[in-house]
Amino acid sequence: MGEATPFLVEIRLASPVSLNHPWFHLDGILTHLARNRVLGRDQFNQPTKLIRSMSARELGPYANLLVRTPVPHGSISFFGPVEKLSSINFFKRFEERGFPARRKIAMGFGHYRAWMMRTVYCPVEWARFYGCGQVDLVRDLLGDLTHLGNKSRMGWGAIASIGVEERELDESIVADGYAMRPIPARLCRRYAEALPMAWHPPYWDPAGVELCVPPGSEVELMSSREMRNAGVLSHG
């Protein structure tokens, strides 16, 4: 692994982002893109809801995209210029006009089933993430990203452009005394609040949930020596 560099990712959006969670995780996005890059079309043959870990050898150059000491150095998403959540209903209805004459059409099930859904969305211009790792690899991998968020097949979260800018300070975990991502409470010297949260990919896996300091909360991390003494960081 080469020298790690702090960076900022800015994703300019061409359409509002549909959300099923308050934020996205940079390490989750990069993990998904890395698996797609390595597995290719075989990614779509993987069993759903079944975790398949990939070794560093399998992931090749994408094994260490972000620093991990031991928390992945990737922040959650920050939306702007003003983050505002809204919701909207959308429908699928059977349109009789122009349809070949039939005596009955089943609309309670099957292909012509009618439904209504509500989605939460964020009408913003950009999403920003902070990270620290292999900038060139991250920039290359993000070139595969076309949409951000839920319901992309309906046009939500279309991406207009992605920029990756190197920075002086690593603000991927803590910035100005506030958490930039979920941080396990066991890694913190002090914190204002904590609640059960997932803190590493895959974020949908309940096994990854533990007591964490949420993003935006005041926090102070342990030093590397304190983490080693606590057994949460290797002595290598």
Side-chain angles (χ1 to χ4, degrees):
M1 181 175 178
E3 184 178 354
T5 304
F7 61 86
L8 165 69
V9 175
E10 180 172 289
I11 299 177
R12 307 294 298 190
L13 295 159
S15 62
V17 176
S18 174
L19 303 170
N20 56 16
H21 189 75
W23 53 72
F24 306 115
H25 302 84
L26 178 60
D27 56 324
I29 292 172
L30 293 176
T31 298
H32 174 74
L33 293 174
R35 289 175 64 92
N36 282 352
R37 181 73 68 88
V38 171
L39 294 174
R41 298 296 298 179
D42 286 342
Q43 171 73 344
F44 302 102
N45 295 325
Q46 304 299 307
T48 58
K49 301 301 181 183
L50 180 65
I51 297 173
R52 185 205 168 201
S53 299
M54 296 184 68
S55 66
R57 182 175 182 179
E58 289 177 296
L59 288 171
Y62 308 112
N64 296 297
L65 287 168
L66 299 176
V67 176
R68 184 185 177 102
T69 56
V71 180
H73 283 227
S75 75
I76 64 164
S77 54
F78 296 91
F79 298 110
V82 178
E83 181 172 338
K84 179 182 179 182
L85 296 180
S86 304
S87 65
I88 189 173
N89 288 330
F90 56 98
F91 308 84
K92 175 181 177 291
R93 299 188 182 95
F94 174 70
E95 298 290 344
E96 181 181 3
R97 184 177 181 182
F99 192 82
R102 291 181 61 178
R103 295 185 62 184
K104 292 183 179 181
I105 297 294
M107 292 187 292
F109 60 89
H111 182 75
Y112 299 108
R113 181 173 66 91
W115 48 256
M116 179 185 76
M117 295 184 68
R118 176 177 289 271
T119 188
V120 175
Y121 70 97
C122 199
V124 292
E125 296 178 12
W126 46 257
R128 290 174 180 164
F129 300 84
Y130 297 84
C132 183
Q134 305 303 298
V135 176
D136 290 340
L137 284 177
V138 169
R139 184 181 288 113
D140 175 60
L141 206 54
L142 286 173
D144 295 345
L145 193 64
T146 61
H147 292 76
L148 191 64
N150 201 24
K151 298 178 175 60
S152 60
R153 68 187 184 279
M154 298 179 183
W156 296 93
I159 292 175
S161 65
I162 301 177
V164 181
E165 170 193 331
E166 296 185 13
R167 295 171 67 86
E168 293 293 329
L169 298 177
D170 181 3
E171 299 177 304
S172 59
I173 298 179
V174 177
D176 298 324
Y178 293 91
M180 298 287 280
R181 54 159 298 122
I183 306 171
R186 57 186 169 84
L187 305 179
C188 304
R189 183 180 295 148
R190 63 172 184 84
Y191 50 87
E193 57 182 323
L195 63 153
M197 304 181 72
W199 65 275
H200 62 78
Y203 283 92
W204 52 262
D205 180 17
V209 174
E210 67 172 277
L211 189 68
C212 290
V213 179
S217 179
E218 291 187 70
V219 66
E220 182 181 357
L221 291 177
M222 292 181 182
S223 66
S224 297
R225 175 179 294 181
E226 289 173 321
M227 289 188 189
R228 283 193 289 268
N229 291 339
V232 296
L233 190 64
S234 68
H235 289 262

